[in-house]
Amino acid sequence: MKEINFDGLVGPSHNYAGLSFGNVASTTHAGSTSHPRTAALQGVEKMRFMMRMGLRQGILLPHERPDTDFLRQCGFTGSPAEIHAKAWQENPALFRAAFSASPMWTANAGTVSPAPDTSDGRCHVSVANLSSNLHRSLEAPQTLRQLRTLFAHPGHFKVHEALPGALKDEGAANFMRLCSHHAAPGLEILVHGAQGSGGFPARQSHAASEAIARRHGLDPARTFLVQQSDVAIQAGAFHNDVVAVANETVLLTHELAFERPDTLYDFIHEHLPEANIIIVPQSEVSLQDAIASYLFNAQLVTLPDGGMMLVVPAECRANKAVSTWLDRELAGNGPIRRIEVMDLRESMHNGGGPACLRLRVALSEAAEQALDSRFLPDEHGLDALARLITTWWPERIAPTDLGNPDLWKDCHAARLALLEHLDLKAALA
Ligand code: SUG
């Protein structure tokens, strides 16, 4: 049993439209010029690095943008070009939602319960409805299609449709799994919010977390629903994975991540005595520093030799408090034996760090064999993707470019070239 990380390939329409209220980076960078080619290549370099560390790596693909089906649902008619032009003219906000490259953050594609945790012994995946934000709520249909292609084998996988939108669900970004090792039954921890004092919204509902636990057939005794702290949400932690991360026996969390943290820690200690809970105190790393640096949006992974590696964004080394904490952690006797820094600036400026860009799936050897291998490039495959990105992805998108019909055509053509290259046109175009 091993874990595969499926990274979202950054789509050709990557831009900064300031669409995510409560996500400080998205608001701060609204109206900046984006660099889709650089963004996608930064993502490929992360994947290459993980592969070279001996980890299994997969990809998920950008969605069709502009989302013509969505715009058609909104009443625009005609050819795709006419639909896009009318939408841009009549309702630019709607068009911006339809043009977002947000499917790159595949931690929000769905919630994954690996086979050892479910009652029928299959790996269950629930596509997230992402109903808190218009641009993200468009993702579910194309995500479902893609995940049903990737996880097609009914003996190993069950891919559930998204929950109804009123049950707000943001996928694996609000989910953690602890276990003695990936193959062992895990503790599944689902994190929800509640509407609190301030203006920033809680994106995950308690009812959605309950529904996921139910449809995945989780053991109630090994499942815990915990509330994200309002103070973290109001500081800009719009997802739990901005303030906490777990891997096997380790939970790395900010002191202020949860509303009643002791209930969670007690549950973990009771069911997994070997668990190691690393609590980063507010006095060492403030919530503000955690959110600006994305320390907790690191990827915490087990290396083939058994040690753990933390893959952090470059912003962590630019932050004095965080950098000091990292050095101290590495010097200590803790489970994190290696810290690596990634340049993911383009995604980070929209609030997407290393962990946002990947959906982790723990799989047996047999289940791995049953995956659709078109989503599993080797290093030569990554080279080819990098070449394709360099050829087809726009170099930059300034806010005024969004209304340019040539850009819409270029984005469509770039994705089509990718699907053709991967032989996924029939399945996903
Ligand atoms: O949902 N940003 C994404 C970032 C998602 C991060 N994912 C995790 N934490 N797992 C969001 O807020 C910004 C798009 C824009 O403003 O153009 C955006 O959607």
Side-chain angles (χ1 to χ4, degrees):
M1 190 109 178
K2 62 169 86 111
E3 184 177 82
I4 306 186
N5 282 285
F6 288 90
D7 278 46
L9 211 60
V10 177
S13 71
H14 159 61
N15 72 96
Y16 300 116
L19 300 177
S20 279
F21 179 60
N23 169 343
V24 181
S26 155
T27 308
T28 309
H29 294 98
S32 312
T33 294
S34 68
H35 301 89
R37 191 182 301 168
T38 304
L41 292 174
Q42 285 173 346
V44 169
E45 284 319 301
K46 169 160 97 82
M47 291 192 248
R48 189 191 303 283
F49 171 76
M50 300 301 270
M51 252 183 212
R52 288 192 176 164
M53 295 306 295
L55 301 164
R56 194 82 164 106
Q57 186 66 54
I59 52 170
L60 289 171
L61 309 182
H63 294 187
E64 174 71 356
R65 293 290 180 266
D67 188 335
T68 313
D69 287 345
F70 162 68
L71 294 172
R72 215 176 263 126
Q73 276 174 10
C74 293
F76 297 106
T77 53
S79 67
E82 286 164 345
I83 288 173
H84 303 158
K86 284 183 204 165
W88 174 252
Q89 235 167 26
E90 284 181 34
N91 193 335
L94 213 56
F95 181 88
R96 280 190 198 96
F99 198 59
S100 173
S102 57
M104 73 176 84
W105 298 298
T106 52
N108 305 116
T111 305
V112 182
S113 295
D117 302 353
T118 66
S119 54
D120 66 4
R122 293 187 294 172
C123 174
H124 283 247
V125 184
S126 276
V127 171
N129 61 34
L130 298 171
S131 58
S132 294
N133 288 289
L134 174 63
H135 68 294
R136 302 227 59 185
S137 72
L138 312 185
E139 295 175 31
Q142 292 189 56
T143 300
L144 179 69
R145 220 164 135 193
Q146 208 170 143
L147 295 184
R148 287 209 165 145
T149 307
L150 169 60
F151 301 120
H153 194 296
H156 289 291
F157 304 105
K158 170 75 187 166
V159 179
H160 302 261
E161 283 181 19
L163 290 166
L167 303 182
K168 299 189 290 176
D169 173 27
E170 300 274 320
N174 286 328
F175 172 89
M176 300 183 290
R177 178 171 190 259
L178 285 128
C179 50
S180 49
H181 55 94
H182 289 309
L187 303 179
E188 298 219 351
I189 298 159
L190 297 106
V191 188
H192 60 273
Q195 204 44 58
S197 51
F200 288 170
R203 290 204 200 175
Q204 180 91 20
S205 70
H206 184 266
S209 296
E210 276 184 335
I212 288 166
R214 214 178 283 124
R215 37 158 62 175
H216 288 195
L218 302 182
D219 176 356
R222 302 180 62 79
T223 304
F224 197 82
L225 270 57
V226 63
Q227 188 179 332
Q228 200 187 358
S229 79
D230 185 49
V231 70
I233 294 175
Q234 298 315 324
F238 53 97
H239 288 139
N240 173 67
D241 69 4
V242 178
V243 280
V245 57
N247 180 56
E248 294 193 323
T249 54
V250 176
L251 169 65
L252 171 63
T253 177
H254 191 275
E255 181 185 12
L256 300 178
F258 305 105
E259 208 51 62
R260 292 169 58 226
D262 290 343
T263 59
L264 174 65
Y265 305 160
D266 290 347
F267 170 79
I268 294 171
H269 284 309
E270 187 188 332
H271 291 87
L272 191 69
E274 67 267 48
N276 192 338
I277 302 181
I278 306 173
I279 303 168
V280 181
Q282 168 80 358
S283 57
E284 284 181 33
V285 174
S286 66
L287 269 180
Q288 204 184 3
D289 283 336
I291 288 160
S293 67
Y294 262 40
L295 165 63
F296 298 93
N297 203 260
Q299 268 179 270
L300 182 59
V301 292
T302 308
L303 293 170
D305 71 2
M308 285 198 200
M309 170 173 74
L310 193 69
V311 179
V312 299
E315 284 74 0
C316 284
R317 282 302 185 190
N319 181 300
K320 198 162 179 295
V322 172
S323 191
T324 305
W325 184 87
L326 286 172
D327 287 337
R328 205 175 315 126
E329 187 59 26
L330 205 52
N333 231 351
I336 300 171
R337 299 315 325 140
R338 190 171 174 144
I339 292 173
E340 293 289 340
V341 178
M342 293 285 129
D343 178 3
L344 295 167
R345 221 156 295 229
E346 284 285 322
S347 168
M348 282 287 288
H349 284 181
N350 255 337
C356 300
L357 284 162
R358 63 95 173 89
L359 184 68
R360 62 208 297 200
V361 185
L363 291 172
S364 67
E365 195 92 5
E368 189 185 336
Q369 295 301 320
L371 292 170
D372 187 320
S373 61
R374 292 174 289 187
F375 295 88
L376 292 163
D378 58 12
E379 212 175 319
H380 295 301
L382 286 187
D383 292 340
L385 285 176
R387 282 194 297 274
L388 190 130
I389 288 163
T390 306
T391 307
W392 290 92
W393 263 230
E395 196 180 340
R396 59 205 297 278
I397 300 181
T400 46
D401 296 333
L402 289 193
N404 180 352
D406 288 338
L407 176 66
W408 311 335
K409 271 190 243 140
D410 288 350
C411 288
H412 174 77
R415 178 170 177 274
L416 209 56
L418 174 68
L419 294 183
E420 270 165 5
H421 168 72
L422 295 171
D423 192 24
L424 277 162
K425 193 174 156 197
L428 301 179

